[in-house]
Amino acid sequence: MLKLNKNANTNILIIGLGLLGGSYAKALKKKGYHVEAITLEQSSIDYALEHGIIDYGTTAVDPEVLQRAELIVFALYPKVLLEWIQANQHLLRPGTILTDVTGVKGAIVGKVQEMLREDVEFIAAHPMAGREVYGVENSDDRIFEGANYIVVPTERNTEPAIALCEELGRELGFRSVSRLSPEEHDEMIAYLSQLTHCIAVTLMCCHDKKSLEAYTGDSFRDLTRIAKINDAMWSELFMMNKPALLEQMDIFMDKFQQLRNCLVTENVDEMREMMRISTKRRVWFDK
Amino acid sequence: MLKLNKNANTNILIIGLGLLGGSYAKALKKKGYHVEAITLEQSSIDYALEHGIIDYGTTAVDPEVLQRAELIVFALYPKVLLEWIQANQHLLRPGTILTDVTGVKGAIVGKVQEMLREDVEFIAAHPMAGREVYGVENSDDRIFEGANYIVVPTERNTEPAIALCEELGRELGFRSVSRLSPEEHDEMIAYLSQLTHCIAVTLMCCHDKKSLEAYTGDSFRDLTRIAKINDAMWSELFMMNKPALLEQMDIFMDKFQQLRNCLVTENVDEMREMMRISTKRRVWFDK
């Protein structure tokens, strides 16, 4: 089984050289790994080569590149990932380890593992890091510092592949590496990430008033930073996690209604109790 | 009419030496003004004197201090502000200008101006700056950099007093100084500040699960930074702005429900349209 070894120049292939793929490449190249990339745009390859982010890159699904790869990281939209594997898995070298960065797992991991050849292994991961800009030009390996990395194994995964994936998270520079099942992951992500994006989008949809900027404080800016959102990708992620996201949206609405009722009935004690609970719990999430 | 003049040592009195009062004192002292303070705790006075934040301070409502003050800044809870003026306005020097930092205006400004002596003037202001910590020990005049300052005049105010209050905002270092009526202010603040605090509190009340910290990304942290909240002060602010806040909560819930319906009916086009609107509008609020 493959072990990550920068001295032995472990050959890592990034498929999809956008913000996250580029940030992976940057971090791994700095650590001494041999990093190649397959991506759609030649301009992304050119940029990455000029800036020393990759060792080699191509826009073609080149069988030679795939035969060289020991570890492949898919940094693609969820549906594109499924299509890519369907179309190209016959080109993989036996023993290759595949991993990903996809933000939903239940709708992806099972399907990939189901269709995949027996002699390669897909171990899912979700790096909880990102930015509100796109493309390899904006890639930045510092986004992993202090961030969380989640490995999402199933019963089809082997312990060495899981361990390799965890090692990858540590090599990338994540502060915390942990494991969740696909179901646990999707419930967690519905609350911590998808619900927060729903809220940010909703907040910006409430009013069409540019002049408000002159009165804005940091709280509004903080709550809407992620309202700049890649609508193609996030709508796909939301749809692929529909039941879990709906559940979290409903929990949120219930609690919001509870707070609203405190205001209507002037129940200041209950309102303050909710505030004390939130203050106490928020301390857990300080970095 | 008083003009701010650091060379003539304009005498400014801060009443309530907490985070905001302390930050005002710090900024104004640095600029060369003579700054005094009245506050509840001797320890706050001691700290401020030791750190050169004020020139003089007392825990007593000292008539001599009030007779010296040319400009008074009230940095108190809303109800305490009303009580203080009721109890002590007979001690003010004729011609004194009063201003405040209170986060609601409709429920405050009218009452203050109604009860106030004819020979002093209250001009309301709201500095859109703060932190999630308290007390003069945490005061920091850098919180005004890049922030917005709103002057909230009524028809009872004179143009020179409004101009003085605007000058104060600029002297404190605010990036933008603007004017709103109390009604406009309260509607704006209900949306930009109070609603966002309601959302942050609600988010933290959804789940009691400390272990989520290992999976949290920056989006959740950003949306809940303000969930650490002073429950005594914010419940008072919410209650004092009840109709405007309820209206903004309802607009938010309607839009949130719209997004939820897109998910239920798998109306990806409408979902993406909301995301594109939010992305476009959020650009307005970049600093």
Side-chain angles (χ1 to χ4, degrees):
Chain A
M1 163 61 75
L2 172 68
K3 288 214 157 82
L4 286 183
N5 188 336
K6 45 199 147 192
N7 302 321
N9 254 0
T10 303
N11 193 315
I12 301 175
L13 173 62
I14 312 285
I15 300 187
L17 204 58
L19 175 79
L20 260 183
S23 301
Y24 266 58
K26 220 172 230 183
L28 294 169
K29 184 103 165 60
K30 272 189 197 167
K31 284 263 177 176
Y33 295 100
H34 180 86
V35 180
E36 306 200 344
I38 295 178
T39 199
L40 277 181
E41 301 289 339
Q42 184 60 41
S43 58
S44 307
I45 302 283
D46 294 343
Y47 180 92
L49 284 170
E50 275 164 33
H51 291 78
I53 298 172
I54 57 172
D55 293 291
Y56 177 79
T58 171
T59 59
V61 181
D62 181 342
E64 281 183 33
V65 170
L66 293 172
Q67 282 296 317
R68 280 203 292 270
E70 299 171 271
L71 171 65
I72 299 182
V73 178
F74 291 96
L76 301 171
Y77 283 23
K79 284 183 190 162
V80 179
L81 164 61
L82 292 172
E83 289 160 10
W84 197 101
I85 289 176
Q86 181 88 57
N88 303 305
Q89 61 163 311
H90 63 282
L91 300 172
L92 300 173
R93 194 180 50 76
T96 307
I97 302 293
L98 316 175
T99 187
D100 72 335
V101 303
T102 320
V104 287
K105 295 305 183 196
I108 293 290
V109 185
K111 282 185 191 156
V112 171
Q113 291 184 339
E114 190 87 15
M115 72 165 96
L116 205 61
R117 282 164 41 186
E118 287 287 323
D119 60 346
V120 297
E121 183 168 348
F122 177 77
I123 170 71
H126 187 182
M128 299 290 291
R131 291 180 64 197
E132 283 63 59
V133 285
Y134 311 121
V136 67
E137 298 80 4
N138 287 305
S139 61
D140 182 356
D141 52 317
R142 288 169 304 183
I143 61 176
F144 306 138
E145 284 170 21
N148 292 315
Y149 180 87
I150 305 160
V151 180
V152 188
T154 71
E155 54 190 15
R156 287 173 184 256
N157 282 113
T158 63
E159 193 51 47
I162 300 170
L164 176 78
C165 194
E166 291 178 332
E167 179 64 12
L168 176 65
R170 283 186 291 266
E171 284 290 87
L172 287 165
F174 283 89
R175 181 191 57 157
S176 157
V177 173
S178 52
R179 292 186 198 189
L180 287 178
S181 72
E183 297 70 32
E184 290 168 329
H185 170 274
D186 286 356
E187 189 190 337
M188 175 281 291
I189 214 69
Y191 171 50
L192 293 177
S193 171
Q194 297 189 332
L195 175 61
T196 53
H197 282 78
C198 286
I199 289 169
V201 167
T202 302
L203 259 175
M204 288 314 312
C205 286
C206 286
H207 295 284
D208 185 11
K209 221 173 152 185
K210 196 172 175 179
S211 61
L212 286 172
E213 197 282 320
Y215 319 115
T216 304
D218 284 337
S219 58
F220 186 80
R221 286 205 181 84
D222 281 358
L223 264 84
T224 56
R225 179 182 62 84
I226 54 175
K228 281 186 193 168
I229 190 168
N230 179 333
D231 59 293
M233 185 177 78
W234 281 91
S235 60
E236 208 173 299
L237 292 171
F238 284 4
M239 293 309 300
M240 282 191 163
N241 202 25
K242 181 174 165 177
L245 178 53
L246 282 177
E247 195 188 338
Q248 296 305 318
M249 288 180 94
D250 290 345
I251 292 171
F252 176 82
M253 273 203 289
D254 277 357
K255 287 286 169 188
F256 193 76
Q257 193 65 54
Q258 184 187 339
L259 186 56
R260 187 185 181 283
N261 287 343
C262 293
L263 191 58
V264 171
T265 60
E266 310 202 349
N267 187 342
V268 176
D269 287 345
E270 191 181 321
M271 184 187 290
R272 291 184 61 174
E273 178 59 18
M274 287 184 77
M275 291 176 177
R276 283 192 295 265
I277 287 172
S278 93
T279 301
K280 188 186 66 140
R281 289 187 189 161
R282 182 53 180 79
V283 176
W284 301 336
F285 295 88
D286 286 343
K287 262 191 181 174
Chain B
M1 163 62 74
L2 174 68
K3 287 212 157 86
L4 286 183
N5 188 335
K6 46 198 149 196
N7 301 322
N9 254 359
T10 302
N11 194 316
I12 301 175
L13 172 62
I14 313 284
I15 300 187
L17 205 58
L19 175 78
L20 260 182
S23 302
Y24 266 57
K26 220 173 231 182
L28 295 169
K29 186 104 166 59
K30 273 190 196 166
K31 284 262 178 177
Y33 294 100
H34 181 85
V35 180
E36 307 200 345
I38 295 178
T39 199
L40 276 181
E41 300 288 338
Q42 184 59 41
S43 58
S44 307
I45 303 282
D46 294 344
Y47 180 92
L49 284 171
E50 275 165 33
H51 291 78
I53 297 173
I54 56 172
D55 293 291
Y56 177 78
T58 170
T59 58
V61 181
D62 180 343
E64 282 184 32
V65 170
L66 292 173
Q67 282 296 318
R68 279 202 294 269
E70 300 172 88
L71 171 64
I72 299 182
V73 178
F74 290 96
L76 301 171
Y77 284 25
K79 283 182 191 162
V80 179
L81 164 61
L82 292 172
E83 289 161 10
W84 197 100
I85 289 177
Q86 182 86 57
N88 303 305
Q89 61 163 313
H90 63 282
L91 301 172
L92 300 173
R93 195 179 50 77
T96 305
I97 302 293
L98 317 176
T99 186
D100 72 335
V101 302
T102 320
V104 288
K105 294 305 184 197
I108 293 290
V109 185
K111 281 186 193 157
V112 171
Q113 291 184 338
E114 191 87 15
M115 72 165 97
L116 205 61
R117 282 164 42 185
E118 287 288 322
D119 60 346
V120 297
E121 183 168 348
F122 177 77
I123 170 70
H126 187 183
M128 298 291 290
R131 291 179 65 197
E132 283 63 57
V133 285
Y134 312 121
V136 68
E137 298 80 4
N138 287 305
S139 62
D140 182 357
D141 52 317
R142 288 169 304 182
I143 61 178
F144 306 138
E145 284 170 20
N148 292 316
Y149 180 88
I150 305 159
V151 180
V152 189
T154 71
E155 53 189 16
R156 287 174 183 254
N157 283 113
T158 63
E159 193 51 48
I162 299 171
L164 176 78
C165 193
E166 291 178 333
E167 178 64 12
L168 176 65
R170 283 187 291 267
E171 284 290 87
L172 288 165
F174 282 90
R175 180 191 59 156
S176 157
V177 173
S178 52
R179 292 186 197 188
L180 287 178
S181 72
E183 298 69 33
E184 290 168 329
H185 170 276
D186 286 355
E187 189 190 336
M188 174 281 291
I189 215 67
Y191 172 50
L192 292 177
S193 170
Q194 297 188 334
L195 175 60
T196 54
H197 282 77
C198 285
I199 289 169
V201 167
T202 301
L203 259 175
M204 288 314 311
C205 285
C206 286
H207 295 283
D208 185 11
K209 223 174 151 184
K210 197 173 174 177
S211 61
L212 287 172
E213 197 283 322
Y215 319 116
T216 305
D218 283 338
S219 58
F220 186 81
R221 285 203 182 85
D222 280 358
L223 265 84
T224 55
R225 179 182 62 84
I226 54 173
K228 281 186 192 167
I229 190 168
N230 179 334
D231 60 293
M233 186 177 78
W234 281 92
S235 60
E236 208 173 299
L237 293 171
F238 284 4
M239 294 307 301
M240 283 190 162
N241 202 25
K242 181 174 166 177
L245 178 53
L246 282 177
E247 194 188 339
Q248 296 304 318
M249 289 179 93
D250 290 345
I251 292 171
F252 176 81
M253 271 203 290
D254 277 358
K255 288 286 170 187
F256 193 76
Q257 192 67 52
Q258 183 188 339
L259 186 58
R260 187 186 181 282
N261 286 344
C262 293
L263 191 59
V264 171
T265 61
E266 310 201 348
N267 188 341
V268 176
D269 288 344
E270 189 180 324
M271 184 186 291
R272 290 183 63 174
E273 178 59 17
M274 288 183 78
M275 291 176 178
R276 282 192 296 265
I277 287 172
S278 93
T279 301
K280 189 186 65 142
R281 289 187 189 161
R282 182 55 180 76
V283 176
W284 302 336
F285 296 87
D286 285 343
K287 262 191 183 176

